Amino acid sequence: ARSNTNHIEFIIKPHPALKSQCAKLGLPTQIFDDYINTWDSLPNASVVTDGDYLDLFKTSDAIILDSLSFISEYMITGKPMCFLSKYPTFEMLATHFNEYGIRALSLIDIAYNQDDLIRFIQKVCLDRIPPNTARDSFVDAMLKINFGHVGEFIVEYIFNKLSAK
């Protein structure tokens, strides 16, 4: 964020329970507060601590994430993604995912270190190289089940369950 003040706007949304979990573990919450204040003081960065993250998904151009659940949730936007891995290789990371997760991970960028993250930002945010198009087929097959008709599916399911009693 500091090296791209004229080109990229960053938004950080820490997990709502992060600060309280730090306190619960006996970690000084001042470190968390200082981190958040540092982000918020940058001219091209802001911190969002409340509200629905779906609006951020809609208005963002890309996401850098370490949340497992957001992989599928953001993938459906078709926008570029970079997963931050604490493991040094895909093979080591993949041992923590099921078959679906491994397939999803294989279709997005993964940063194993700071250089990988900088390359993602350069490629996606500055050079505007689009994401892997193979992802579209995966999203259609795996995530768009009953797409556009999910409400009908839910009503029918509930009706059938209630009728069976």
Side-chain angles (χ1 to χ4, degrees):
R2 285 186 181 124
S3 62
N4 288 290
T5 57
N6 296 326
H7 305 290
I8 303 170
E9 179 182 343
F10 289 87
I11 298 173
I12 183 172
K13 185 167 180 23
H15 191 281
L18 182 58
K19 185 175 181 177
S20 64
Q21 287 299 314
C22 288
K24 193 184 234 181
L25 293 170
L27 302 171
T29 57
Q30 187 61 43
I31 294 171
F32 174 86
D33 292 336
D34 291 346
Y35 181 76
I36 295 302
N37 291 335
T38 299
W39 270 101
D40 217 19
S41 70
L42 295 171
N44 63 327
S46 56
V47 178
V48 175
T49 56
D50 58 356
D52 190 351
Y53 61 86
L54 293 179
D55 286 335
L56 293 174
F57 283 12
K58 283 191 259 181
T59 58
S60 66
D61 293 321
I63 191 171
I64 298 167
L65 68 155
D66 64 357
S67 171
L68 303 178
S69 66
F70 283 174
I71 294 171
S72 290
E73 292 182 35
Y74 196 80
M75 188 177 279
I76 203 162
T77 68
K79 299 174 186 179
M81 305 170 62
C82 183
F83 185 80
L84 301 175
S85 176
K86 66 181 180 180
Y87 302 100
T89 66
F90 185 85
E91 292 73 26
M92 291 177 75
L93 175 62
T95 64
H96 301 278
F97 287 82
N98 62 18
E99 183 181 329
Y100 169 87
I102 293 168
R103 284 182 61 203
L105 277 176
S106 72
L107 298 170
I108 64 174
D109 287 278
I110 301 173
Y112 299 101
N113 54 51
Q114 185 174 345
D115 289 339
D116 290 344
L117 182 56
I118 291 169
R119 272 192 291 279
F120 172 80
I121 292 169
Q122 178 67 44
K123 176 179 90 170
V124 169
C125 301
L126 300 174
D127 297 340
R128 301 277 184 192
I129 296 171
N132 181 343
T133 56
R135 219 171 73 176
D136 297 339
S137 299
F138 178 80
V139 167
D140 288 344
M142 302 301 289
L143 299 177
K144 289 188 175 180
I145 301 164
N146 295 315
F147 192 70
H149 304 284
V150 72
E152 295 169 15
F153 175 79
I154 292 169
V155 168
E156 184 178 317
Y157 177 82
I158 292 171
F159 180 79
N160 288 337
K161 287 294 182 181
L162 291 174
S163 297
K165 291 186 175 192

